[in-house]
Amino acid sequence: MEGGRKVVVSALQFACTDSSIDNIDHAERLVREAHKKGANIVLIQELFEGYYFCQAQREDFFRRAKPYKGNQTIHRMQKLSKELGVVIPVSFFEEANNAHYNSVAIIDADGTDLGLYRKSHIPDGPGYQEKFYFNPGDTGFKVFETKFAKIGVAICWDQWFPEAARAMVLQGAEILFYPTAIGSEPQDDRLDSREHWKRVMQGHSGANLVPLVVSNRIGKETIKTEHGESCITFYGNSFITGPTGEIIAASNDKDEDVLVADFDLDKIKSQRHGWGVFRDRRPELYKSLLSLDGT
Ligand code: PUT
């Protein structure tokens, strides 16, 4: 079959400073570069407005949160997306009255805000103390009908859960997007999760027969904590998979990058249906997935 729906996706990778103006300018420059390379949907990394503040548990960092409505960063990205005709998921620290979420707003190619996803799985542990800041997201896993594709967007730690990827693809997601912030582990400098991280997401892509796009930051960030300083070196390695989980574009762990890859969504749809996993699912046998302890 000729002439399927074509889409070009992009993942950005850059080092953040702790100045939101600089980071937003930086993101805009790279979105423009992605657009010049033909991108239709451009993914910016998680919480790109500043340093990854969750290294510390600090009350003053709650002041970084902004309400969804009237959010200036989202407005700026809406203007940019309308000018360039590109879809942009915008990750941000959301304040909702006394609740806080790690959220992403999906901006369609004409600047329309298609809605919000709030991160469902909130990590905790040395260097990644997100439970101090974020309520568990209450939106559930969502898909967004953009100009170029129906997309599923989840956030960072969500990428370790096959259930999240499956839920989005069951709702019709044709491509999965994961803005991310991950790197070294401050408590153990021998622990390097990057290969594990990649393999897990390649599995989601291959098991669901959809392309998958990940954007992660680079750079060394040192944050003052209540017990001295904490430091993470973010390992980048942003990547894009094809529908069998194969990596078709990848960044290294040091350099700024604008990855692009193009797909024929109709061809992939036939491939997904032909492989038969969505015909042979047995949801009535998966009830243990609805419990924490398997009972
Ligand atoms: N972004 C969360 C990563 C957690 C790694 N321990």
Side-chain angles (χ1 to χ4, degrees):
M1 193 177 66
E2 298 298 316
R5 281 176 307 133
K6 302 287 195 315
V7 64
V8 181
V9 298
S10 174
L12 309 185
Q13 172 171 302
F14 61 96
C16 290
T17 68
D18 212 21
S19 149
S20 60
I21 308 233
D22 288 353
N23 293 320
I24 296 162
D25 285 349
H26 201 156
E28 174 166 341
R29 272 200 311 282
L30 297 188
V31 170
R32 290 183 183 282
E33 205 176 310
H35 172 253
K36 278 199 195 115
K37 292 182 170 189
N40 305 122
I41 307 176
V42 184
L43 184 65
I44 312 170
Q45 58 221 24
E46 182 186 18
L47 298 171
F48 65 93
E49 290 178 87
Y51 272 176
Y52 180 71
F53 52 87
C54 312
Q55 284 202 64
Q57 296 192 9
R58 280 177 42 182
E59 287 173 12
D60 57 319
F61 284 165
F62 280 100
R63 283 184 239 138
R64 296 176 177 225
K66 299 280 177 304
Y68 174 37
K69 293 296 164 210
N71 186 300
Q72 290 309 307
T73 306
I74 296 175
H75 285 173
R76 175 140 168 216
M77 290 298 153
Q78 283 181 279
K79 235 175 109 195
L80 181 65
S81 104
K82 188 171 178 183
E83 180 198 328
L84 303 178
V86 297
V87 175
I88 311 175
V90 182
S91 163
F92 69 105
F93 181 15
E94 182 192 357
E95 177 186 279
N97 298 319
N98 286 303
H100 296 85
Y101 298 100
N102 186 335
S103 300
V104 60
I106 313 306
I107 310 305
D108 205 358
D110 62 357
T112 305
D113 183 348
L114 296 177
L116 199 63
Y117 167 71
R118 290 170 168 163
K119 184 172 182 172
S120 303
H121 302 96
I122 310 296
D124 200 16
Y128 299 89
Q129 303 175 75
E130 296 195 16
K131 287 196 202 301
F132 183 73
Y133 298 100
F134 307 128
N135 296 79
D138 56 359
T139 56
F141 304 108
K142 291 175 70 171
V143 294
F144 300 88
E145 188 77 73
T146 74
K147 177 175 179 192
F148 302 105
K150 196 183 255 199
I151 65 172
V153 185
I155 302 172
C156 197
W157 195 234
D158 287 327
Q159 68 207 172
W160 295 85
F161 298 83
E163 298 88 344
R166 180 69 101 201
M168 291 187 280
V169 180
L170 282 173
Q171 294 174 74
E174 297 175 291
I175 312 172
L176 298 178
F177 290 85
Y178 292 95
T180 299
I182 192 167
S184 58
E185 304 282 339
Q187 81 287 9
D188 182 355
D189 54 19
R190 291 158 308 172
L191 182 54
D192 183 342
S193 62
R194 75 189 75 184
E195 297 305 324
H196 183 190
W197 175 77
K198 284 188 237 173
R199 285 191 295 268
V200 166
M201 280 181 282
Q202 287 181 261
H204 305 331
S205 167
N208 291 290
L209 288 106
V210 291
L212 181 150
V213 183
V214 192
S215 161
N216 186 28
R217 65 176 71 193
I218 46 172
K220 184 172 171 180
E221 298 182 12
T222 303
I223 296 252
K224 272 201 196 120
T225 77
E226 52 298 7
H227 313 293
E229 287 190 335
S230 175
C231 175
I232 294 181
T233 302
F234 291 90
Y235 56 56
N237 275 268
S238 301
F239 65 91
I240 301 173
T241 67
T244 64
E246 73 282 20
I247 291 182
I248 55 175
S251 306
N252 65 23
D253 62 0
K254 287 193 179 53
D255 297 316
E256 180 167 305
D257 211 353
V258 176
L259 293 176
V260 289
D262 59 281
F263 296 107
D264 179 331
L265 294 177
D266 289 326
K267 192 167 159 212
I268 292 173
K269 183 175 176 183
S270 311
Q271 185 182 4
R272 184 161 57 245
H273 294 171
W275 194 244
V277 287
F278 288 94
R279 177 197 61 212
D280 294 337
R281 291 184 67 253
R282 299 291 309 280
E284 72 281 15
L285 303 180
Y286 305 152
K287 290 197 178 69
S288 54
L289 292 180
L290 297 178
S291 70
L292 285 176
D293 64 0
T295 57

